[in-house]
């Protein structure tokens, strides 16, 4: 039997040789390379897309701002600043090489050669942040500048990518010098200082251009960690500063900016840090000044953004001398130890518990220009934001000069007489009293009425003019008292005087007037009747050095010059012989008026003295609490001739120091056609002389009025036998209320205004009788 025999079981496969290990790794590497290539292409593509789509954004507004500065009238001495951030940008060529080199050595030693980014730093920061470690920056100067100026401070990969792309674009369009300049004007150095100029002042009290190597190395150090490296923050901060300070100096030597020997010498010790007074921006009177200037800038058309971040340079009218005079004058006279309450009021009667309730407002204005040279607004601004030099109070009898102007313009003279007894009763039964209900006689001259602030005489004066109250209001507004209602851009501080209405008692001062406006009104009288608007801003210059506002002084005739001279003469007599004799201590010719006002309960609630020399007008006001609370029984003396007049004198002594003594012109003795009879000057009757002997004294004049003798019609004289007559003595012209200039000037220190006068009431004035006369 033949044929092939088949093997039992399944067929056997041909065995394969195992793959080599090297080929397996090659395949893995190939795949990795392929993936890497694809990833790189994707990354490049993504980068191109991002580069094309990410634009350089608008700068962060806060970092574009610059500090605005407010100066005294010299344009150099700084009062304060307005700022979103405390920054004063300066060009790169005003920065010393030492600060440029120190910052590059500290922050980015490849700055001048790199492309604006640090790829290794970006990757290192990205991996560190991804692993949950402490966030890292590792940015170049360009990247830091971009982050500050265009982005946020968040530490994320997205922000880092944006930062890198914007840095590359910025590097392409902007020079390294421009980047470094922007960086040094933008970066925060601590102590509230943004930019190198503010930092130099904050740490060393110098301009940036005056920084030396060691100071520059310190500032290059602190910008890395402002709070951690500020030596003012304790011993540890100082030690940390010392360590990194050495690193910065070492870097300056390595980059060839300074020698190694110089770096070693500088590293031995830190520079001196001067004691820089860290006053509150708004502490003391500074807050009142800055608030007042800001409000005026807004009124002039500047917006808040310009003020806070526009880099303006604002020159004010204020002088350091006048501002200091106001503050020191108040401190010298202002009483202390006052209770919070007096009998009948709720509150503590403990001495000193009410000192904070006494408010004093002072303002000094220059005649002829209207420039407000100084003021005192009250307590520290941080304790009370009310500026009493602007808030004001009821003006009281400091309004009476307006009535004098109106009356003389209407035909009355200084010698005309008015009712001086109290009360003065109107036809409708309304009555007005003198202070203390005192009587001065039924016919007191305008001068005597002013000297002693006789209310009834001024009511009589007002009512003796047709539409008298309105004429007094008009005169007040022409002098410089703002109206009761005004338009937004009308001048004045403030530009309204609530209550200045044509009522019967307008001359007694029920209107609310500020010391600034009152001082300006009296400055008009001091200036021969020419009024100027009050102002506090002389000039404004923008960040580019262009003058964008310049005040122009313009004055107008408010009062005819001769009338003004007569009004001024009456106010001079207030100081010489009337209720304002405390001002005699000034030691030079002065004029002024006392004033008090009463509240709704009839208690004295404000006390004033406003006065002037030919060179300066100053107003002082004392009020309590909210401005209308009782002074009577609370202050030891509560009339205008006491604390206000004494404060005025203390302020003016300081403000006038070094200025020449100037005299006032003599009165013009204007005498028109009085609008009403019965006010004629008192003329002493001829004294009959029985020869011999000749009398050596004259009879005292009476305050009773006499009627002016009418002009007689010519008549034909019949021959008569002449009877012997007794010689009579004609009245001495120097015995008039207002003596002519020809009278002996030696008798009157005011210059050419001497002679005995109609002063029956003033003769009775003594310090003990002050309350009777001072109104």
């Amino acid at each position: 039997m033949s044929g092939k025999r088949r093997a039992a079981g399944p067929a056997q496969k041909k065995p394969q040789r195992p793959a080599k290990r090297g080929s397996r790794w090659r395949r893995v590497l190939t795949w990795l390379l392929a993936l890497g290539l694809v990833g790189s292409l994707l990354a490049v593509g993504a980068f191109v897309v991002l580069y094309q789509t990410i634009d350089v954004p608008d700068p962060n507004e806060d970092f574009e701002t610059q500090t605005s500065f407010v100066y005294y009238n010299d344009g150099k001495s700084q009062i304060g600043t307005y700022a979103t951030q405390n920054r004063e940008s300066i060009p790169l060529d005003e920065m010393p090489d030492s600060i440029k080199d120190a910052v590059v050595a500290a922050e980015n030693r490849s700055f001048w050669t790199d492309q604006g980014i640090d790829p290794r730093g970006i990757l290192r920061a990205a991996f560190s942040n991804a692993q949950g470690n402490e966030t890292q920056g590792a940015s170049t100067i360009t990247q830091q500048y971009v982050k500050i100026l265009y982005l946020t401070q968040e530490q994320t990969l997205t922000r880092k990518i944006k930062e890198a792309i914007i840095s590359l674009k910025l590097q392409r369009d902007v020079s390294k010098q421009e980047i470094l300049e922007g960086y040094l004007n933008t970066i925060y150095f601590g102590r509230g200082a943004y930019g190198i100029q503010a930092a130099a002042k904050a740490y060393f009290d110098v301009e940036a251009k005056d920084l030396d190597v060691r100071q520059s190395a310190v500032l290059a150090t602190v910008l890395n960690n402002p709070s951690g490296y500020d030596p003012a923050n304790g011993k540890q901060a100082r030690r940390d500063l010392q360590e990194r300070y050495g690193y910065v100096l070492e870097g300056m030597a390595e980059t060839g900016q300074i020698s190694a020997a110089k770096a070693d010498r500088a590293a031995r010790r830190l520079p001196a840090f001067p004691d820089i007074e860290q006053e509150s921006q708004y502490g003391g009177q500074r807050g009142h000044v800055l608030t007042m200037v800001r409000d005026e800038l807004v009124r002039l058309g500047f917006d808040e953004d310009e003020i806070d971040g526009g880099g303006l340079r604002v020159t004010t009218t204020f002088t350091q001398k006048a501002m200091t005079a106001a503050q020191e004058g108040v401190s010298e006279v202002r009483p202390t130890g006052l209770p919070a309450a007096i009998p009948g009021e709720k509150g503590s009667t403990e001495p000193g518990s009410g000192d904070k309730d006494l408010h004093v407002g002072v303002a000094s204005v220059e005649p002829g220009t209207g420039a407000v040279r100084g003021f005192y607004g009250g307590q520290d601004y941080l304790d009370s934001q009310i500026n009493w030099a602007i808030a004001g109070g009821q003006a009281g009898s400091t309004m009476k000069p307006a009535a004098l102007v109106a009356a003389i313009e209407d035909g009355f003279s200084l010698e005309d007489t008015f009712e001086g007894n109290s009360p003065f009763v109107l036809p409708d039964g309304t009555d007005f009293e003198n202070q203390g209900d005192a009587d001065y006689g039924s016919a007191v001259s305008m001068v005597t009425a002013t000297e002693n602030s006789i209310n009834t005489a001024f009511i009589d004066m007002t009512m003796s003019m047709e539409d008298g109250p309105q004429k007094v209001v008009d005169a007040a507004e022409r002098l410089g008292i703002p109206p009761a209602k005004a338009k937004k851009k009308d001048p004045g501080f403030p530009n309204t005087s609530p209550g200045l209405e044509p009522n019967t008692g307008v001359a007694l001062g029920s209107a609310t007037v500020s010391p600034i406006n009152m001082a300006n009104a009296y400055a008009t009288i001091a200036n021969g009747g020419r009024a100027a608007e009050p102002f506090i801003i002389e000039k404004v210059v923008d960040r580019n050095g262009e003058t964008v506002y310049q005040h122009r002084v313009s004055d107008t005739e408010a009062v005819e010059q001769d009338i003004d001279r007569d009004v001024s003469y009456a106010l001079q007599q207030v100081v010489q012989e009337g209720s304002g004799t405390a001002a005699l201590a000034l030691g030079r010719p002065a004029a002024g008026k006392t004033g008090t006002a009463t509240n709704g309960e009839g208690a004295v609630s404000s006390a004033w003295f406003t006065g002037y020399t030919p060179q300066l007008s100053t107003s002082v006001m004392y009020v309590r609490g909210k401005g209308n609370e009782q002074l009577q029984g609370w202050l030891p003396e509560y009339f205008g001739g006491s604390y206000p007049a004494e404060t005025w004198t203390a302020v003016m002594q300081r403000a006038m120091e070094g200025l020449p003594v100037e005299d006032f012109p003599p009165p013009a003795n204007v005498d028109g056609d009085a609008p009403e009879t019965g006010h004629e000057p008192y003329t002493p009757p001829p004294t009959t002389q029985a020869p011999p002997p000749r009398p050596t004294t004259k009879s005292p004049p009476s305050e009773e009025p006499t009627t002016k003798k009418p002009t007689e019609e010519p008549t034909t004289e019949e021959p008569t036998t002449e009877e012997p007559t007794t010689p009579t003595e004609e009245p001495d012209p120097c015995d008039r209320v207002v003596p002519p200039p020809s009278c002996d000037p030696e008798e009157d220190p005011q210059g050419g205004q001497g002679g005995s006068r109609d002063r029956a009431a003033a003769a009775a004035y003594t310090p003990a009788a002050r309350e009777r006369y001072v109104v």
Side-chain angles (χ1 to χ4, degrees):
M1 188 171 178
S2 64
K4 293 183 178 179
R5 193 176 54 183
R6 190 172 182 179
Q12 297 293 319
K13 292 183 178 179
K14 186 177 181 179
Q16 296 182 350
R17 290 182 297 176
K20 294 183 179 179
R21 181 174 297 180
S23 62
R24 183 182 303 170
W25 281 110
R26 279 196 296 273
R27 285 197 299 272
V28 170
L29 182 60
T30 300
W31 278 104
L32 288 176
L33 289 173
L35 289 173
L37 179 61
V38 172
S40 297
L41 291 173
L42 290 173
V44 170
F47 181 83
V48 171
V49 171
L50 290 171
Y51 191 88
Q52 295 294 327
T53 56
I54 295 177
D55 294 324
V56 177
D58 292 331
N60 293 325
E61 291 183 0
D62 287 353
F63 290 93
E64 286 283 273
T65 64
Q66 289 193 36
T67 300
S68 292
F69 292 86
V70 180
Y71 300 100
Y72 286 103
N73 75 315
D74 62 4
K76 299 177 182 178
S77 304
Q78 184 178 313
I79 297 175
T81 61
Y82 306 114
T84 302
Q85 295 178 347
N86 178 20
R87 180 198 332 280
E88 184 180 357
S89 295
I90 58 174
L92 190 68
D93 58 13
E94 289 186 17
M95 302 177 192
D97 289 339
S98 60
I99 190 61
K100 304 171 196 173
D101 296 337
V103 169
V104 168
E107 294 297 308
N108 182 193
R109 294 181 186 180
S110 64
F111 170 74
W112 296 109
T113 58
D114 64 33
Q115 297 302 308
I117 63 171
D118 179 6
R120 287 180 299 176
I122 294 174
L123 290 174
R124 183 173 63 251
F127 282 115
S128 176
N129 298 344
Q131 292 171 2
N133 299 327
E134 183 180 355
T135 55
Q136 295 184 11
S139 298
T140 64
I141 284 176
T142 305
Q143 288 175 270
Q144 291 182 52
Y145 181 48
V146 166
K147 178 177 66 175
I148 293 169
L149 193 61
Y150 299 111
L151 302 174
T152 66
Q153 299 299 309
E154 62 178 344
Q155 295 284 355
T156 65
L157 182 59
T158 302
R159 200 270 298 158
K160 292 295 292 185
I161 292 172
K162 286 184 178 180
E163 178 185 295
I165 291 173
I166 295 172
S167 296
L168 287 171
K169 287 192 170 186
L170 193 67
Q171 180 80 18
R172 180 194 62 191
D173 299 330
V174 179
S175 70
K176 288 284 189 179
Q177 288 78 10
E178 290 175 295
I179 291 172
L180 186 59
E181 177 182 307
Y183 177 77
L184 287 172
N185 278 319
T186 304
I187 194 71
Y188 182 60
F189 287 85
R191 297 192 180 184
Y194 290 82
I196 189 60
Q197 178 77 331
K201 294 178 180 178
Y203 283 87
F204 301 109
D205 199 24
V206 298
E207 300 284 326
K209 62 183 177 61
D210 297 322
L211 290 168
D212 61 26
V213 169
R214 290 193 298 162
Q215 292 169 334
S216 295
V218 165
L219 294 179
T221 298
V222 298
L223 68 81
N224 184 267
N225 185 350
S227 61
Y229 293 138
D230 186 343
N233 291 338
K235 293 181 179 180
Q236 184 60 49
R238 193 177 185 92
R239 285 193 293 267
D240 292 343
L241 169 64
Q242 180 83 55
E243 182 178 345
R244 183 168 174 82
Y245 168 74
Y247 164 79
V248 173
L249 289 168
E250 181 184 329
M252 294 177 72
E254 287 181 0
T255 55
Q257 304 305 324
I258 59 174
S259 67
K262 186 172 185 179
D264 289 341
R265 286 195 302 271
R268 291 172 189 169
R269 61 183 177 87
L270 293 168
F273 293 91
D275 291 330
I276 300 175
E277 188 176 358
Q278 298 295 323
E279 289 185 333
S280 168
Q281 167 74 350
Y282 281 78
Q285 294 299 297
R286 184 183 291 108
H288 295 301
V289 174
L290 293 177
T291 299
M292 188 176 175
V293 171
R294 176 188 287 275
D295 290 344
E296 183 65 0
L297 286 170
V298 171
R299 189 187 74 85
L300 293 174
F302 293 89
D303 62 42
E304 296 284 355
D305 289 339
E306 284 181 285
I307 296 169
D308 284 326
L312 303 177
R313 301 292 186 272
V314 182
T315 300
T316 70
T317 60
F318 305 125
T319 69
Q320 289 178 287
K321 181 180 180 182
M323 291 295 292
T324 301
Q327 184 163 354
E328 291 183 353
V330 171
S331 297
E332 178 183 314
V333 178
R334 187 184 191 274
T336 57
L338 300 170
I342 56 178
E345 297 178 344
K346 294 181 180 180
S348 172
T349 57
E350 186 72 22
S353 60
D355 285 350
K356 68 180 186 304
D357 295 327
L358 177 60
H359 307 299
V360 183
V362 177
S364 295
V365 175
E366 184 176 77
T369 67
V372 181
R373 294 305 184 192
F375 75 90
Y376 179 79
Q379 284 97 328
D380 188 314
Y381 181 86
L382 299 179
D383 296 328
S384 172
Q385 288 74 56
I386 298 175
N387 183 344
W388 291 98
I390 294 178
Q394 286 185 290
S397 293
T398 54
M399 284 291 294
K400 286 176 178 173
L404 297 179
V405 170
I408 299 175
E409 288 178 338
D410 218 40
F412 287 118
S413 74
L414 290 178
E415 294 184 330
D416 284 338
T417 57
F418 302 91
E419 178 61 65
N421 288 328
S422 181
F424 186 96
V425 183
L426 299 178
D428 64 1
T430 303
D431 63 344
F432 292 87
E433 294 183 352
N434 294 325
Q435 181 62 41
D437 203 24
D439 291 333
Y440 295 89
S442 61
V444 294
S445 70
M446 192 181 290
V447 172
T448 299
T450 305
E451 284 179 357
N452 300 290
S453 206
I454 302 172
N455 289 342
T456 56
F458 277 89
I459 295 297
D460 188 13
M461 190 187 305
T462 301
M463 299 308 293
S464 296
M465 296 181 281
E466 184 178 354
D467 202 13
Q470 185 61 56
K471 289 178 179 176
V472 173
V473 170
D474 291 343
E477 292 180 3
R478 281 186 281 124
L479 287 173
I481 303 295
K485 296 180 180 180
K487 297 177 181 178
K488 184 177 180 180
K489 292 193 175 182
D490 284 349
F493 299 93
N495 64 357
T496 61
S497 302
L500 185 59
E501 305 289 351
N503 53 56
T504 303
V506 62
L508 306 188
S510 58
T512 297
V513 183
S514 75
I516 292 177
N517 290 333
M518 188 62 77
N520 188 55
Y522 278 58
T524 298
I525 303 172
N527 191 43
R530 298 194 67 82
E533 295 179 358
F535 71 105
I536 63 170
I537 295 177
E538 189 75 57
K539 181 173 67 172
V540 181
V541 176
D542 68 14
R543 68 170 71 188
N544 299 316
E546 297 292 328
T547 298
V548 292
Y549 173 80
Q550 178 75 58
H551 179 81
R552 287 179 172 80
V553 173
S554 61
D555 60 355
T556 58
E557 185 178 75
V559 181
E560 185 183 327
Q561 188 175 34
D562 284 350
I563 294 174
D564 182 83
R565 286 167 58 179
D566 284 356
V567 172
S568 185
Y569 174 81
L571 296 175
Q572 292 165 50
Q573 307 321 302
V574 173
V575 173
Q576 285 296 308
E577 304 183 49
S579 58
T581 54
L584 286 172
L586 181 61
R588 62 172 71 210
K593 185 70 189 73
T594 55
T596 59
T598 56
N599 57 24
E601 298 176 357
V604 172
S605 58
S606 67
W608 293 71
F609 185 82
T610 304
Y612 56 90
T613 66
Q615 299 105 312
L616 192 66
S617 173
T618 295
S619 185
V620 176
M621 177 197 74
Y622 274 61
V623 293
R624 176 189 176 198
K626 296 181 179 179
N628 198 34
E629 298 177 26
Q630 182 173 330
L631 295 177
Q632 187 173 344
W634 185 66
L635 283 179
E637 295 179 277
Y638 53 89
F639 287 105
S642 56
Y643 290 115
E646 292 163 11
T647 302
W648 182 91
T649 305
V651 171
M652 290 290 281
Q653 284 172 336
R654 292 166 170 81
M656 298 297 297
E657 184 177 359
L659 297 181
V661 175
E662 295 185 12
D663 291 320
F664 294 110
N669 296 314
V670 175
D671 191 4
D673 295 325
E676 183 179 273
T677 60
H679 299 281
E680 292 75 13
Y682 171 77
T683 303
T687 302
T688 301
Q689 299 184 358
R694 177 175 175 145
T696 58
T697 60
K698 301 176 186 177
S699 301
S702 166
E703 290 279 356
E704 292 297 323
T706 59
T707 304
K708 290 183 180 179
K709 191 174 183 179
T711 304
E712 295 182 355
E713 294 293 328
T715 58
T716 304
E717 295 186 2
E718 294 291 333
T720 59
T721 303
E722 187 173 5
E723 297 286 338
T725 59
T726 302
T728 60
E729 182 183 354
E730 292 297 323
D732 186 346
C734 289
D735 283 337
R736 293 172 56 188
V737 173
V738 185
S742 59
C743 292
D744 183 8
E746 295 296 322
E747 296 186 29
D748 191 340
Q750 292 281 51
Q753 299 156 20
S756 58
R757 303 180 177 92
D758 178 13
R759 307 278 192 254
Y765 178 83
T766 64
R770 175 183 288 162
E771 293 186 7
R772 177 181 178 187
Y773 297 108
V774 183
V775 178

